[in-house]
Amino acid sequence: MAVIPVDIAGRPYEVRVGAGLLPELGVHCRGRLRKRLVPIVTDSNVHAAWGPVVEAALLEAGHEARWRIVPPGEASKGWEQLAGTVEWLLDEGVERGDHILALGGGIVGDLTGFAAAILKRGCHFIQLPTSLLAQVDSSVGGKTAINTGAGKNLVGAFHQPALVLADLDVLGTLPPRELRSGYAEVVKYGLISDADFFAWCAANGTAMLGGDAALREYAVSYSVAAKAKIVAEDEFETTGKRALLNLGHTFGHALEAETGFSDKLLHGEAVALGMVLAARYSARLGLMPSASAEIVAAHIGAAELPATLKAAGITCAGRTLTGHMLHDKKMDAGTLPFLLMRGIGETFLAKDVDLADVAKFLDGEINRN
Ligand SMILES: NC(=O)c1ccc[n+]([C@@H]2O[C@H](COP(=O)([O-])OP(=O)(O)OC[C@H]3O[C@@H](n4cnc5c(N)ncnc54)[C@H](O)[C@@H]3O)[C@@H](O)[C@H]2O)c1
Ligand SMILES: [Zn+2]
């Protein structure tokens, strides 16, 4: 097991990464679960696959699981499920000193984390991430949110978990497409600031996706450590450091908006293509060699993630995509911060990007095979 500390001032916590952590849940949570009944939020897919394991682990430690099971999918990250979850926690008699467990992917984690943030002005929660995306990204760092009619993640809070347990065995039941989608966020850490880690991904990524346990442990624990470092330096995204984690996300969100945030294009798939577009656009601006951008594209393609607009089924005009960018929640006084690259592992925040030029670039990308 790897233990990665997240050194948030005043509220440090650990991310534990390894196989077989869920069956030992009681041991890992010792001292935190004060009552016999333990509230756990999950979705129906995860409950079917891992509910019995968690229930048995809690029973062994003298606890009884109290489940709230939401439907899988982005629609559960909304006002209705937030209200339902908070009311349920109140009915369960949850107090500020109690810990709420979140067993699931980023949707369950974001919903439960936000419910924990506002319940009685903040109670504890423990992340038990079950998707690769949740293990390497969403369960760490304390961003919690729900979606509204106006867009994704528009209402939320910074609320750090008390503990994160990333059991690698759960990835065994994750649908392969979800696994690959989460892998985009792994590659992202290499592209942001670590060319060596990108090289590791290029050499080992497909074997990791194929199921190699040791490679999975390395990929997840490396990614968590990379995120933990950034979050500890810039918890509230004020210095620009944490913003680097949005590499590929400005393009990616526009692609997700164009496909209606549906399963036509999963978040990680949009981010994968978004990173390729950020690299190719950086090359077009003369910031980085074209050859480097093509190395990024080749690895994304090798991981069976979309590396071209065509592969993602996007056929609209560039202007349509930049139009979606104008609704990005990172819009700041009329300008959109854009993450560009000077090379692999050298991402930086550019503030003077001309969206009309980005639209022209995207028009040129439409026909690329
Ligand atoms: N808070 C953050 O910092 C942050 C960062 C990135 C993404 N997010 C959010 O995360 C969400 C996406 O998370 P996600 O990709 O994990 O999606 P998800 O939670 O929908 O999980 C993906 C799918 O896999 C299923 N699943 C999850 N784990 C499984 C397992 N072990 N076995 C079988 N099925 C399993 C789920 O039921 C779901 O159908 C988005 O809402 C996004 O906004 C948040
Ligand atoms: Zn993301």
Side-chain angles (χ1 to χ4, degrees), residues 39-243:
I40 311 184
V41 183
T42 190
D43 74 24
S44 52
N45 291 336
V46 177
H47 184 259
W50 296 95
V53 171
V54 167
E55 202 152 312
L58 286 174
L59 208 57
E60 207 179 290
H63 299 287
E64 186 189 323
R66 298 285 294 169
W67 295 99
R68 176 166 174 85
I69 305 170
V70 302
E74 201 67 45
S76 282
K77 234 180 83 172
W79 290 111
E80 205 182 316
Q81 287 298 346
L82 177 71
T85 302
V86 168
E87 296 286 353
W88 174 77
L89 290 166
L90 291 169
D91 287 347
E92 290 291 316
V94 173
E95 299 172 314
R96 288 195 72 186
D98 293 339
H99 288 71
I100 303 161
L101 272 48
L103 175 72
I107 288 176
V108 164
D110 280 10
L111 170 71
T112 312
F114 189 38
I118 58 177
L119 186 79
K120 302 194 172 170
R121 299 204 180 87
C123 33
H124 306 299
F125 81 117
I126 294 175
Q127 290 271 22
L128 308 172
T130 62
S131 67
L132 181 59
L133 178 132
Q135 295 193 346
V136 301
D137 191 357
S138 64
S139 68
V140 182
K143 279 193 181 177
T144 73
I146 58 163
N147 309 322
T148 79
K152 269 195 66 172
N153 298 326
L154 290 181
V155 175
F158 285 97
H159 188 57
Q160 300 290 344
L163 176 70
V164 183
L165 295 178
D167 184 340
L168 298 166
D169 291 337
V170 302
L171 301 178
T173 58
L174 188 67
R177 185 177 170 204
E178 295 287 349
L179 187 74
R180 287 196 300 274
S181 176
Y183 177 64
E185 307 277 6
V186 173
V187 175
K188 184 182 78 178
Y189 295 111
L191 293 179
I192 290 174
S193 60
D194 190 339
D196 289 344
F197 184 64
F198 178 80
W200 183 91
C201 289
N204 300 292
T206 46
M208 190 285 287
L209 289 169
D212 185 295
L215 297 178
R216 280 187 182 181
E217 174 151 354
Y218 183 76
V220 174
S221 50
Y222 179 91
S223 299
V224 168
K227 179 148 185 189
K229 185 165 177 287
I230 290 176
V231 167
E233 282 174 36
D234 183 17
E235 181 181 6
F236 300 113
E237 204 162 324
T238 45
T239 68
K241 186 86 208 216
R242 188 165 182 164

